[in-house]
Amino acid sequence: MEVLMLGFALFSLCGAADLPNFVLLFADDLGYGDLGSSGHPTSLTPNLDRLVAHGLRFTDFYSTSPVCSPSRLGGLPLNETTIAEVLKPLGYTTAMIGKWHLGYGANGTYLPTRQGFDHYLGIPYSHDMGPCHNLTCFPPYVKCYGFCDVGTVTVPLMDGEAITQQPVDFIHLEDAYSTFATEFIRSAAQKRQPFFLYYPSHHTHYPQYAGWKSVGRSLRGPFGDALLEFDFTVGDILKTLKDTGVLSNTLVFFTADNGPELMRMSRGGNSGLLKCGKGTTYEGGMREPAFAYWSGVIKAGVTHSLASTLDILPTFAKLAGAPLPTVQLDGVDMIDILFNHGAGQRKAMFYYPVDPSEKFGVFAVRMGKYKAHYYTRGSAQSETTPDQDCRVISPLKYHDPPLLFDLESDPAENYNLSLKDHPELVSVLQDINNLKDEFQASMQFGQSEIGKGTDPNLAPCCKPHCSPKPECCQCGTAG
Ligand SMILES: *[C@@H]1O[C@H](CO)[C@@H](O)[C@H](O)[C@H]1NC(C)=O
Ligand SMILES: *[C@@H]1O[C@H](CO)[C@@H](O)[C@H](O)[C@H]1NC(C)=O
Ligand SMILES: *[C@@H]1O[C@H](CO)[C@@H](O)[C@H](O)[C@H]1NC(C)=O
Ligand SMILES: *[C@@H]1O[C@H](CO)[C@@H](O)[C@H](O)[C@H]1NC(C)=O
């Protein structure tokens, strides 16, 4: 009750004509230990660090999955409700810059413009999903590091539903994003229209690189440069919020889609003290850096409350006073955490593998500070670390009794708790088992829409009728 009242007090302060703005920043394959503020010695993230210092930092924030697609989804069914669609009926203007990766579809059926975004500038999927081209601006030109897709069209730049460049000029892409975001905020502020800006970056996904402003500027190499370039755009967005006078009415939320891709070795990210990374259901696969920043409204600090990307939609909806979509949501709002630094409503987190199935169900469950692993498996994406458990050679293993960790005293999941030594944990484990059964009973497996777009004629091409494809799909790029 206290929580709700605080929430409502906030709304009445803002008034119906002055709905809060939302900026959602989403990094790619970024690990728990990757930010300067997470203690990484050579990352250079001055803007993110400043927001963390003046915002509320989450220590126990989870993405929905150890790979990006469920965080972003993939061929997102049109009948699902996005945050943009939740906010639009209230008069919000909505924009997205960056990497969509929720489907393209015939005639752009799945683009952001069909999912509630008024404006969109970005690449429709990952930048390794096309033939490699130059990702460095200075000689010696380095093409891709490792492998990118071959035989496909080059990655296009979309403005709304139109391809304006193919291949996209990656060296200047971040400048284009920054300009687009800045103009969007200025225009909304001028019209006094509430706005939602979603910026899912292709940084720091493989192949790591940075444009002209950031290349070679960090001590950390290509990953650090990529992160710095993302950080520059964050800085530009923040400066614009301030310059246009809307900073104190804007909630900025930052997190990432999943843990670091350790197989890229020193070019991949780092999960800090957490075990393993992308592709695994250990903490390093899903626990992410996250913070909320709202100048003058959210008190700076640190929260150890459980929270997840699942909770962002209910939180934004509540703050805007928007009705929730009439579906069974897995998220709960974070109002108590944000405004009271309270414990929040989330009691548990469920960890599904990269290939969820009804046969195996959830691999692990966190309830409070305890995490039980029913299944574990290494991943090619967490290859090359010294920890064998992370590697692809560690096959699917069923644990009965489950591996049990106290994540408060042992966040690195090093010490499996023995029920013999801790008889009081027998009932804890029973509670976790019950929670798991209850959750799984309520889980409906849907049909993925991925795979419907494998027809090469449906590949994004700026000259739809040209030949021979894919080479002829080239527009708007000099050189
Ligand atoms: C969307 O449509 C699919 C296929 O018709 C259906 O299975 C699913 O339940 C629908 N989802 C929502 C949120 O309505
Ligand atoms: C795409 O649009 C074209 C032209 O409007 C139309 O002829 C074609 O049938 C559409 N394809 C699909 C799969 O909707
Ligand atoms: C791309 O790299 C090649 C060398 O691999 C170089 O000759 C060419 O000029 C580069 N193109 C651009 C646009 O930088
Ligand atoms: C974890 O601890 C339990 C005791 O509660 C034990 O039965 C199990 O063998 C241990 N598992 C591993 C992999 O060490």
Side-chain angles (χ1 to χ4, degrees), residues 73-75 77 445-452:
L73 238 131
F445 277 75
Q447 198 51 46
S448 170
E449 309 245 332
I450 309 177
K452 287 189 179 170

Side-chain angles (χ1 to χ4, degrees), residues 237-259:
I237 290 171
L238 259 291
K239 183 175 182 303
T240 310
L241 294 174
K242 203 167 174 192
D243 291 350
T244 53
V246 298
L247 187 63
S248 62
N249 195 28
T250 304
L251 168 60
V252 179
F253 200 93
F254 166 86
T255 190
D257 61 346
N258 51 253

Side-chain angles (χ1 to χ4, degrees), residues 82-313:
T82 65
I83 294 174
E85 287 166 334
V86 165
L87 297 174
K88 260 186 78 68
L90 280 84
Y92 277 77
T93 177
T94 54
M96 173 188 153
I97 51 169
K99 168 181 164 182
W100 175 238
H101 215 177
L102 303 187
Y104 192 99
N107 291 342
T109 312
Y110 294 116
L111 287 174
T113 41
R114 310 287 180 97
Q115 297 277 22
F117 290 96
D118 300 325
H119 309 280
Y120 167 50
L121 183 77
I123 56 174
Y125 39 74
S126 284
H127 60 299
D128 60 336
M129 292 170 69
C132 299
H133 54 101
N134 295 351
L135 290 176
T136 48
C137 41
F138 307 122
Y141 294 110
V142 178
K143 291 209 164 192
C144 280
Y145 169 83
F147 298 98
C148 292
D149 289 353
V150 290
T152 64
V153 293
T154 54
V155 177
L157 178 68
M158 314 286 310
D159 187 344
E161 295 187 5
I163 298 175
T164 53
Q165 241 184 16
Q166 195 169 18
V168 53
D169 173 3
F170 280 113
I171 305 303
H172 297 95
L173 182 57
E174 204 66 31
D175 293 340
Y177 286 168
S178 190
T179 304
F180 195 85
T182 302
E183 283 171 5
F184 170 71
I185 295 168
R186 283 192 188 285
S187 158
Q190 206 158 35
K191 287 186 252 171
R192 302 186 60 83
Q193 190 176 7
F195 63 84
F196 168 47
L197 174 64
Y198 175 45
Y199 175 32
S201 181
H202 59 296
H203 290 316
T204 47
H205 193 281
Y206 164 87
Q208 287 79 12
Y209 79 96
W212 65 277
K213 248 190 288 184
S214 313
V215 69
R217 295 252 335 244
S218 84
L219 292 175
R220 198 182 162 181
F223 188 100
D225 294 353
L227 188 54
L228 176 63
E229 186 167 67
F230 173 68
D231 187 85
F232 268 133
T233 302
V234 172
D236 290 345
I237 290 171
L238 259 291
K239 183 175 182 303
T240 310
L241 294 174
K242 203 167 174 192
D243 291 350
T244 53
V246 298
L247 187 63
S248 62
N249 195 28
T250 304
L251 168 60
V252 179
F253 200 93
F254 166 86
T255 190
D257 61 346
N258 51 253
E261 201 176 39
L262 303 175
M263 68 183 281
R264 307 296 171 189
M265 300 188 275
S266 64
R267 282 186 175 237
N270 193 297
S271 55
L273 53 41
L274 303 182
K275 190 177 171 84
C276 306
K278 185 174 180 179
T280 74
T281 46
Y282 294 106
E283 290 295 285
M286 287 172 56
R287 192 152 154 187
E288 290 299 324
F291 65 78
Y293 171 85
W294 190 343
S295 177
V297 176
I298 293 179
K299 271 197 311 224
V302 177
T303 175
H304 304 295
S305 300
L306 265 187
S308 165
T309 46
L310 295 167
D311 305 335
I312 296 172
L313 183 147

Side-chain angles (χ1 to χ4, degrees), residues 361-397:
V362 294
F363 270 30
V365 177
R366 175 172 179 177
M367 186 190 77
K369 65 177 180 174
Y370 292 106
K371 178 176 177 186
H373 288 268
Y374 298 87
Y375 290 97
T376 53
R377 190 177 59 192
S379 166
Q381 286 163 320
S382 278
E383 202 61 48
T384 73
T385 46
D387 185 342
Q388 297 278 321
D389 294 344
C390 311
R391 296 185 176 189
V392 75
I393 52 158
S394 288
L396 180 70
K397 239 181 279 171

